[in-house]
Amino acid sequence: MNPSIHKVRVWDLPTRIFHWALVVGVIGLAITGTIGGNAMVWHFRFGYSVLTLLLFRVVWGVVGGRWSRFGAFIYSPQSVINYLKGRGKPEHGVGHSPIGAGSVFAMLGFLLAQAGTGLFSDDEIAFSGPLTRFVSNSAVSLATNYHKNIGKWILLGLVVLHILAIVFYLWRKHNLVRAMLHGDKELVTAVPASRDDTASRLSALAVLGACAAAVYWISSLGAPAF
């Protein structure tokens, strides 16, 4: 390796697993939601899985590896403007750039909105979210309308933009996918690496377990009382 190039662990293993698990979950949601009918059983299962992953990412964005933390890619408006003008800083190319950060926050926000409204949605046939019985019919109607007719199209647009961005950077000889597979980037600037050892991975597993337990509890609220 060129001595001026530094190999840095940017994406820790929990972040990488989250990313690819989320891809599978979103694809599963799209397919089962389109099929409908009995596939809605799996739509709910994918929904709970995605919600678990999102809650995990929120927590991991606070306590995770150096470049997975939200603090590493929350940029001021001036930083975004400078980046767009081609005056970005070297660290902007390590984790998420100012533009990439906006995409990440938008994706997480709208996925949380989609999963959240799903908890209050009702197809008026055979399936309803576990929290529908706690709100008014008008609230259920609003949540269902957003979930079925608005949120999914916003997410589709964000996914398309995300894919186009990956292709654009690949054309610019910057492979974003490779780093999300093995975690490392080769950089010309020496920067701190993300912690990615056994202790941090066990911590991530504990966080995931807590998030899964929380989502399981939410899902159980829709069950009739005995």
Side-chain angles (χ1 to χ4, degrees):
M1 181 183 295
N2 189 320
S4 63
I5 299 297
H6 306 270
K7 189 174 183 179
V8 179
R9 173 55 50 91
V10 174
W11 304 124
D12 53 54
L13 182 63
T15 298
R16 284 177 278 148
I17 292 177
F18 158 81
H19 180 274
W20 296 113
L22 187 65
V23 170
V24 173
V26 170
I27 292 174
L29 282 172
I31 292 174
T32 54
T34 300
I35 294 174
N38 292 332
M40 291 301 293
V41 173
W42 278 99
H43 188 73
F44 273 81
R45 289 171 180 169
F46 277 116
Y48 293 139
S49 298
V50 166
L51 181 56
T52 299
L53 289 170
L54 294 172
L55 293 179
F56 165 81
R57 187 63 182 92
V58 170
V59 177
W60 201 242
V62 178
V63 302
R66 167 69 175 80
W67 299 102
S68 296
R69 295 177 189 171
F70 297 139
F73 54 96
I74 294 179
Y75 299 102
S76 67
Q78 189 60 52
S79 293
V80 176
I81 293 172
N82 290 341
Y83 181 80
L84 291 173
K85 290 182 177 180
R87 300 201 299 266
K89 298 179 180 179
E91 59 265 27
H92 290 168
V94 181
H96 294 299
S97 69
I99 300 302
S103 174
V104 169
F105 285 124
M107 188 75 76
L108 290 177
F110 281 105
L111 278 171
L112 280 168
Q114 191 70 3
T117 52
L119 298 175
F120 295 93
S121 296
D122 189 341
D123 68 357
E124 298 182 343
I125 300 175
F127 297 96
S128 62
L131 303 184
T132 53
R133 65 192 183 99
F134 296 105
V135 297
S136 65
N137 289 337
S138 60
V140 170
S141 179
L142 286 172
T144 302
N145 181 58
Y146 178 87
H147 190 80
K148 293 176 64 176
N149 302 317
I150 301 175
K152 70 177 184 180
W153 297 112
I154 294 175
L155 284 172
L156 177 61
L158 289 173
V159 168
V160 170
L161 286 175
H162 189 66
I163 293 173
L164 289 176
I166 291 173
V167 173
F168 172 76
Y169 278 104
L170 189 61
W171 175 66
R172 294 282 300 272
K173 310 299 182 182
H174 188 53
N175 194 327
L176 299 177
V177 176
R178 184 167 55 198
M180 193 54 75
L181 287 172
H182 56 63
D184 298 328
K185 282 189 176 183
E186 294 180 356
L187 306 168
V188 296
T189 304
V191 296
S194 286
R195 182 181 177 185
D196 190 21
D197 54 20
T198 301
S200 67
R201 293 175 181 181
L202 289 175
S203 296
L205 190 61
V207 171
L208 180 64
C211 293
V215 172
Y216 178 80
W217 174 73
I218 293 172
S219 70
S220 70
L221 296 177
F226 292 99

